[in-house]
Amino acid sequence: MVVRRDENVRPNRRSAPLNQEGEMSPPAKILADGVDILRAILESHEFEYVRGLESAGSGGRFARGSFVREDRHLEFSVRRALGLVRYHVGSVSLSHDEYVRAVSGFSGEYPGYSAEPLDGFRHLLSDLREHGDIFLSGSTDEFERLVPDAGNRGK
């Protein structure tokens, strides 16, 4: 049996599409493309994108960004795909999973575990459409009621 390797995928634990030069897409490019996916829903609720840190750490290059409106922001980071997603309202902070479970009782579509780096952003967009009302347009009190105990404040 002959197994052919897809020329657009590197044989590693977490494959990512290659650019025209045969290199993995840099996190900043993935982040910029992902922001474009999320921009319409967040800007329609008066959030503005704020570019964050781009650097390298022990896990390789990464890029961060957030959408901000007054005392709330949605922060996220990228290495090979969308990683951390966290909601902040005032002094309260919830991970994406904590937020969606508190609102719906179930996990959301994100992260989705796709080899396509932008699918995480598409899954996040779907979750924002389905479960995002409290974060996007609810009150601070509504968001705070999602937190089961005060131990999560300020994380």
Side-chain angles (χ1 to χ4, degrees):
M1 178 172 163
V2 175
V3 178
R4 300 178 87 188
R5 184 172 73 87
D6 184 342
E7 293 180 20
N8 290 326
V9 178
R10 285 195 176 154
N12 62 15
R13 291 183 324 161
R14 188 154 184 189
S15 298
L18 304 180
N19 62 22
Q20 292 176 341
E21 290 78 37
E23 300 169 345
M24 197 162 39
S25 296
K29 168 75 169 125
I30 296 168
L31 180 66
D33 292 345
V35 165
D36 287 342
I37 291 169
L38 300 175
R39 188 178 303 278
I41 190 170
L42 289 156
E43 286 184 351
S44 72
H45 289 88
E46 300 179 6
F47 283 82
E48 293 182 36
Y49 178 67
V50 176
R51 188 172 158 186
L53 179 67
E54 295 175 25
S55 189
S58 61
R61 297 209 55 78
F62 66 88
R64 294 182 184 148
S66 58
F67 278 93
V68 178
R69 184 188 78 216
E70 297 173 3
D71 72 337
R72 58 187 66 206
H73 65 278
L74 174 63
E75 92 179 288
F76 40 88
S77 65
V78 170
R79 282 193 192 274
R80 293 178 183 92
L82 182 59
L84 167 85
V85 176
R86 194 151 192 95
Y87 300 82
H88 302 269
V89 176
S91 64
V92 177
S93 175
L94 293 170
S95 71
H96 179 74
D97 189 57
E98 290 169 333
Y99 173 78
V100 173
R101 284 182 184 275
V103 170
S104 71
F106 301 98
S107 292
E109 283 191 34
Y110 170 79
Y113 304 107
S114 171
E116 164 56 45
L118 294 176
D119 279 351
F121 287 96
R122 293 180 187 106
H123 295 149
L124 178 56
L125 175 62
S126 177
D127 287 345
L128 285 169
R129 287 179 175 150
E130 185 71 24
H131 310 290
D133 289 346
I134 292 174
F135 176 74
L136 295 171
S137 56
S139 69
T140 299
D141 288 341
E142 286 176 295
F143 190 84
E144 287 177 346
R145 283 193 294 270
L146 297 175
V147 180
D149 64 341
N152 285 332
R153 293 180 186 272
K155 282 191 178 175

